[in-house]
Amino acid sequence: MTASEAAPRASFPETRGRERGYDKAAVDDLLARARAAFEDGDPAMTSADIRMAAFPLVKHGYSIASVDAALGRIEDAFAARERTSAVAQAGVHAWVGHTRESAQEVLDRLSRPRKRRFDRVSPLRYGYRIDEVDLVSDKVSRYLETGDALTVEQVRAVAFRMQRGGYHEMQVDAVLDAVVEIMLAVK
């Protein structure tokens, strides 16, 4: 019996008509594994695993927004557990030092001149819109430098349009993931 067979289905709204949603079995399986890992204190599953979860899109699947909101809460719980464990093992000063180093790395990247903060894809390929990424980068920089208002949910929900010759998606996504980790570390 698999974890998804043993656990009852999650109660998320389903998509209707042509709208696609997350594959129910894939979501249910991840949720069952996350629950078991969290309840057992298994460090093999982390907040990063929750954040990086991806599901096939299907007709009559779970509502994307509802699942993403739930995953955000689950990621928060895993991050809090990881923070508590790290502080207990290494101490508060080591945890703060590591978080400060990560924040400085992100800030160094985002302090580069506009339109040159990330690598660009070739002019024939599509990447993230440069002006939109730079705008979000400025907001994140202000958060890291001065504590301007920014929430984890805002960073998680950011979406960029595409343009030819835009920023390389994987680099931008990696920095945004690092920002989420930093924010959760100090939450």
Side-chain angles (χ1 to χ4, degrees):
M1 183 180 297
T2 67
S4 61
E5 290 171 338
R9 282 211 179 270
S11 55
F12 295 109
E14 293 181 18
T15 58
R16 298 178 187 266
R18 292 182 160 183
E19 184 182 6
R20 293 182 178 267
Y22 289 144
D23 180 75
K24 294 176 191 176
V27 171
D28 291 340
D29 181 57
L30 176 72
L31 293 177
R33 289 185 295 118
R35 180 183 197 133
F38 194 82
E39 288 175 351
D40 295 342
D42 183 0
M45 182 172 273
T46 66
S47 59
D49 295 328
I50 303 299
R51 184 173 47 262
M52 303 304 275
F55 308 105
L57 295 176
V58 298
K59 288 183 182 179
H60 307 291
Y62 287 141
S63 163
I64 293 171
S66 298
V67 172
D68 286 350
L71 290 177
R73 292 187 299 273
I74 293 168
E75 179 186 0
D76 291 348
F78 272 84
R81 181 181 76 176
E82 291 161 11
R83 180 177 53 248
T84 301
S85 175
V87 166
Q89 289 178 358
V92 151
H93 294 297
W95 179 254
V96 169
H98 173 71
T99 302
R100 185 174 288 142
E101 287 173 14
S102 297
Q104 188 60 54
E105 287 176 23
V106 169
L107 195 53
D108 290 346
R109 162 70 71 170
L110 300 182
S111 296
R112 294 177 180 179
R114 291 177 71 80
K115 299 186 179 185
R116 295 198 328 231
R117 292 181 174 154
F118 298 93
D119 290 342
R120 312 250 306 252
V121 296
S122 79
L124 300 177
R125 299 192 66 205
Y126 284 92
Y128 287 150
R129 283 215 33 178
I130 294 167
D131 58 335
E132 293 176 357
V133 173
D134 283 346
L135 186 69
V136 170
S137 296
D138 291 342
K139 188 164 183 73
V140 169
S141 292
R142 285 191 304 275
Y143 166 79
L144 293 173
E145 290 174 326
T146 65
D148 272 13
L150 184 66
T151 66
V152 173
E153 289 75 24
Q154 288 172 315
V155 177
R156 284 179 181 144
V158 75
F160 304 110
R161 292 178 290 175
M162 305 298 277
Q163 76 176 65
R164 287 186 189 270
Y167 282 142
H168 198 281
E169 294 173 54
M170 285 178 37
Q171 278 190 339
V172 175
D173 290 345
V175 168
L176 291 176
D177 286 344
V179 170
V180 168
E181 286 181 20
I182 291 163
M183 294 175 89
L184 291 175
V186 297
K187 200 173 188 183

